[in-house]
Amino acid sequence: APFLLVGLLGTLIVPLIVFFIPPMTGHMREKRALRDNLDVLTRILKDRRQRNALFFSGMVMMGHFLIIPFINPFMELNNGFSRSVTPNIYLVGGISSFFASYILGFLADKYGKLLVFIICVLLSLFLVYGITNSNGISFPVILFMFAIWFIFSTGRGITAQAMISNVVPASQRGGFMSFNSSIQQLGTSIASLVAGFVVIKLPDGKIHHYDWLGYLSIVILLGCAVLAYLLFRNSDRAIVVSSTSTAAK
């Protein structure tokens, strides 16, 4: 049913995109055809900064997605919450993300994407630990924890993708970001595979080692914070200088 709903929404959204979203072709004024369809890939593989940015993107998604596949089983089997109430976790998280995305985007533009990313990563670590070690906590507290976790996860995602998109010129951004989407899917796939190997089911029906996924997620996200600093510490400054020069002209 969810997949059918996504397909239905797609058929409704596509006409709206065609009629209301203006084409963004200003960066394509240079009519230069690619020699072949592998040019985008070879260009990425030859550029160390682009390779590092893609590795960073995959690791962010992996660190985020490690704990997601077993959220429902852990909440139902280990914490005893009914399957009828656990979907509220995603409802509260989605609402929180919806309102937080605008605020976090504004803060990223004002104070720098790297700063907001690192703050969101560091604050989210406490939530990752709390969620994967939540035994005997009331459901309202669980909802609150997930709401905050979704907010920080949204902040991580928004700022990470903004920093990643700026490692290539605008004329190459479409191909690069398409490849980046594939790397993100690879990151989530690896996270799901690792989670499946780590978590085991006990004879009483409860799942075990979910906290291990939390610890692994914390380590990966800390590594992402360090990697982000090494890769993007001058990005915001460069963008500000470029924008100022453009405005002066």
Side-chain angles (χ1 to χ4, degrees):
F3 289 100
L4 292 175
L5 178 60
V6 169
L8 176 61
L9 290 175
T11 60
L12 297 176
I13 292 173
V14 167
L16 298 178
I17 294 175
V18 172
F19 286 105
F20 294 104
I21 303 298
M24 300 177 65
T25 57
H27 62 288
M28 299 171 60
R29 290 173 183 170
E30 294 183 16
K31 301 297 183 180
R32 185 174 55 188
L34 294 177
R35 291 190 303 273
D36 55 62
N37 293 331
L38 294 178
D39 273 6
V40 173
L41 178 59
T42 55
R43 186 167 55 238
I44 292 172
L45 295 177
K46 291 178 180 178
D47 191 320
R48 181 180 178 183
R49 192 159 184 255
Q50 293 185 37
R51 295 198 308 269
N52 289 338
L54 291 174
F55 175 75
F56 166 76
S57 179
M59 294 302 292
V60 169
M61 293 303 298
M62 184 177 176
H64 170 70
F65 207 78
L66 270 171
I67 69 172
I68 289 181
F70 288 97
I71 287 177
N72 263 356
F74 183 74
M75 292 300 157
E76 294 173 16
L77 302 176
N78 290 52
N79 286 355
F81 299 127
S82 169
R83 187 173 297 183
S84 63
V85 301
T86 52
N88 290 317
I89 290 173
Y90 302 100
L91 175 64
V92 170
I95 294 173
S96 302
S97 299
F98 178 80
F99 289 103
S101 58
Y102 172 79
I103 299 174
L104 291 168
F106 171 79
L107 293 175
D109 289 337
K110 185 174 182 179
Y111 298 106
K113 300 171 185 62
L114 177 61
L115 177 62
V116 174
F117 174 81
I118 292 178
I119 290 175
C120 286
V121 167
L122 296 180
L123 293 179
S124 71
L125 302 183
F126 299 99
L127 281 306
V128 171
Y129 176 84
I131 289 170
T132 55
N133 289 272
S134 57
N135 293 305
I137 300 178
S138 65
F139 193 65
V141 175
I142 290 292
L143 287 180
F144 177 77
M145 291 172 61
F146 271 101
I148 304 301
W149 178 66
F150 270 92
I151 289 174
F152 292 140
S153 298
T154 300
R156 286 196 318 246
I158 290 175
T159 51
Q161 294 311 304
M163 291 187 294
I164 290 167
S165 68
N166 287 320
V167 303
V168 294
S171 59
Q172 302 174 13
R173 194 164 293 158
F176 175 78
M177 293 307 289
S178 296
F179 194 75
N180 176 58
S181 297
S182 300
I183 297 298
Q184 288 181 308
Q185 296 297 325
L186 180 62
T188 58
S189 301
I190 294 175
S192 299
L193 184 65
V194 171
F197 278 112
V198 170
V199 170
I200 61 174
K201 190 174 183 180
L202 299 177
D204 60 0
K206 295 183 178 181
I207 63 174
H208 197 43
H209 296 162
Y210 187 54
D211 56 330
W212 291 12
L213 294 179
Y215 304 142
L216 181 58
S217 175
I218 288 172
V219 171
I220 292 175
L221 291 174
L222 280 174
C224 289
V226 174
L227 188 58
Y229 176 78
L230 295 176
L231 294 177
F232 307 115
R233 60 183 180 272
N234 297 319
S235 296
D236 289 321
R237 188 184 312 164
I239 294 170
V240 170
V241 171
S242 176
S243 301
T244 303
S245 300
T246 304
K249 291 179 181 178

